[in-house]
């Protein structure tokens, strides 16, 4: 199915590398103008922008752990381009903070930062952009969560909690925003062959990770990007509120 995003503007958080970069490439190929958000790696963000087909793509920097800057990020985007039609909440962090292995003050630092980046920032971005989209008479929000929302993350409980919260938040927004022609979707990957995961796959745990899926491998970033592109296209309004488990059946019993 050919997907045409001509005339659409897409903000993708965490788009300098990995899944976010793959999503940006696919959406630009479909004709969209892309705003490549990054935190600190400007070089990678510039490389992503240069590799995007089409023109008028932008890059923008913001530390999503600082929630007071989220509204400014939205305003800066609208200063660069006239509108945003699609928000892809992709940026996230994953840091171990086992309950039994660190003092509470340190554990809480990991908790607060992970919840801020993985849940609060997407929620705040969705709030500000949804209200703009209401004025624009429509839009889409696509959240990237994780199979960890269903399985739990014993060594990174904040990550599991944040992704589960984002699943529920997306469902809530889908109900609230449908009357305004705004549709909300969620994609929940498992292991994806990003730069960090490739190192894990090449290490001692690599075979165990691959064998978690009956496909005997991790996902490729482009597989997640194609799923997001499908949701960004026309004719999928009735999927609003969905959670697509793009994890190779790795959360099911084998």
């Amino acid at each position: 199915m050919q997907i045409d995003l001509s005339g659409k503007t897409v903000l993708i958080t965490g788009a300098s590398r990995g899944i976010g970069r793959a999503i940006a490439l696919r959406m630009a190929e479909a004709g969209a103008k892309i705003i490549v958000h990054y935190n600190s790696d400007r070089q990678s963000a510039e490389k992503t922008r240069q590799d995007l087909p089409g023109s008028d793509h932008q890059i923008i920097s913001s530390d999503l752990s600082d929630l007071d800057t989220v509204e400014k990020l939205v305003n800066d985007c609208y200063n660069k381009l006239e509108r945003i039609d699609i928000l892809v909440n992709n940026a996230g962090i994953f840091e171990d903070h086992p309950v039994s292995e660190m003092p509470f003050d340190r554990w809480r630092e990991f908790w607060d930062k992970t919840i801020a980046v993985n849940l609060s920032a997407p929620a705040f971005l969705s709030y500000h952009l949804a209200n703009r989209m209401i004025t624009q008479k429509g839009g889409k929000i696509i959240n990237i969560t994780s199979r960890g929302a269903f399985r739990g993350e014993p060594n990174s409980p904040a990550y599991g909690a944040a992704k589960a919260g984002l699943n529920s938040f997306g469902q809530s927004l889908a109900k609230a925003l449908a009357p305004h022609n705004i549709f909300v979707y969620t994609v929940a990957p498992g292991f994806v062959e990003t730069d960090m995961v490739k190192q894990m796959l090449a290490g001692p745990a690599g075979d165990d990770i691959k064998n978690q899926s009956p496909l005997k491998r991790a996902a490729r970033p482009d597989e997640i990007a194609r799923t997001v592109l499908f949701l960004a296209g026309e004719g999928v309004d009735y999927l609003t509120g969905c959670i697509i488990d793009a994890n190779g059946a790795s959360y099911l019993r084998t």
Side-chain angles (χ1 to χ4, degrees):
M1 181 174 64
Q2 189 69 31
I3 294 174
D4 184 6
L5 298 181
S6 300
K8 304 291 187 182
T9 300
V10 185
L11 168 61
I12 306 169
T13 64
S16 62
R17 298 188 300 170
I19 296 171
R21 171 183 163 85
I23 294 169
L25 288 167
R26 281 293 170 189
M27 287 192 161
E29 287 174 358
K33 295 179 183 178
I34 308 298
I35 302 176
V36 177
H37 162 267
Y38 71 100
N39 179 13
S40 58
D41 189 354
R42 185 179 180 89
Q43 183 176 0
S44 293
E46 288 282 10
K47 176 67 166 57
T48 295
R49 178 169 66 170
Q50 291 169 8
D51 290 344
L52 297 178
S55 60
D56 295 328
H57 306 300
Q58 305 290 325
I59 64 171
I60 195 162
S61 175
S62 178
D63 179 0
L64 295 180
S65 68
D66 183 356
L67 298 174
D68 290 335
T69 67
V70 171
E71 185 175 9
K72 180 179 183 301
L73 169 61
V74 173
N75 290 336
D76 288 346
C77 289
Y78 275 84
N79 286 335
K80 290 177 178 292
L81 295 169
E82 293 182 358
R83 59 185 287 141
I84 296 172
D85 300 284
I86 303 169
L87 166 64
V88 180
N89 281 312
N90 169 73
I93 58 173
F94 184 99
E95 296 178 321
D96 284 345
H97 60 127
V99 170
S100 61
E101 297 181 17
M102 61 179 59
F104 176 70
D105 288 349
R106 182 67 172 149
W107 187 87
R108 182 178 173 178
E109 288 179 16
F110 283 98
W111 176 274
D112 288 346
K113 183 177 180 181
T114 301
I115 295 295
V117 174
N118 292 6
L119 177 57
S120 296
F124 290 10
L125 280 168
S126 297
Y127 172 87
H128 290 297
L129 282 172
N131 279 283
R132 300 259 192 167
M133 290 174 179
I134 289 171
T135 302
Q136 295 168 186
K137 309 296 185 186
K140 293 194 174 190
I141 297 170
I142 304 172
N143 296 318
I144 309 300
T145 64
S146 169
R147 70 170 188 176
F150 306 103
R151 290 165 50 106
E153 294 291 347
N155 291 322
S156 185
Y159 182 84
K163 294 302 188 179
L166 192 54
N167 281 354
S168 180
F169 179 74
Q171 292 173 324
S172 297
L173 283 193
K175 292 280 285 186
L177 297 177
H180 301 285
N181 199 39
I182 300 169
F183 307 103
V184 186
Y185 314 101
T186 299
V187 179
F191 278 100
V192 181
E193 288 183 350
T194 59
D195 293 340
M196 181 178 68
V197 171
K198 283 180 180 179
Q199 295 177 9
M200 297 172 63
L201 293 173
D207 286 343
D208 178 65
I209 292 171
K210 295 173 186 176
N211 289 332
Q212 291 177 20
S213 167
L215 302 180
K216 304 300 183 183
R217 63 175 177 84
R220 294 180 288 271
D222 189 59
E223 291 178 298
I224 309 305
R226 287 175 180 270
T227 303
V228 173
L229 180 63
F230 166 72
L231 294 171
E234 297 296 325
V236 295
D237 297 354
Y238 216 72
L239 283 174
T240 194
C242 74
I243 301 173
I244 296 180
D245 298 311
N247 55 56
S250 62
Y251 75 135
L252 304 173
R253 288 191 296 176
T254 59

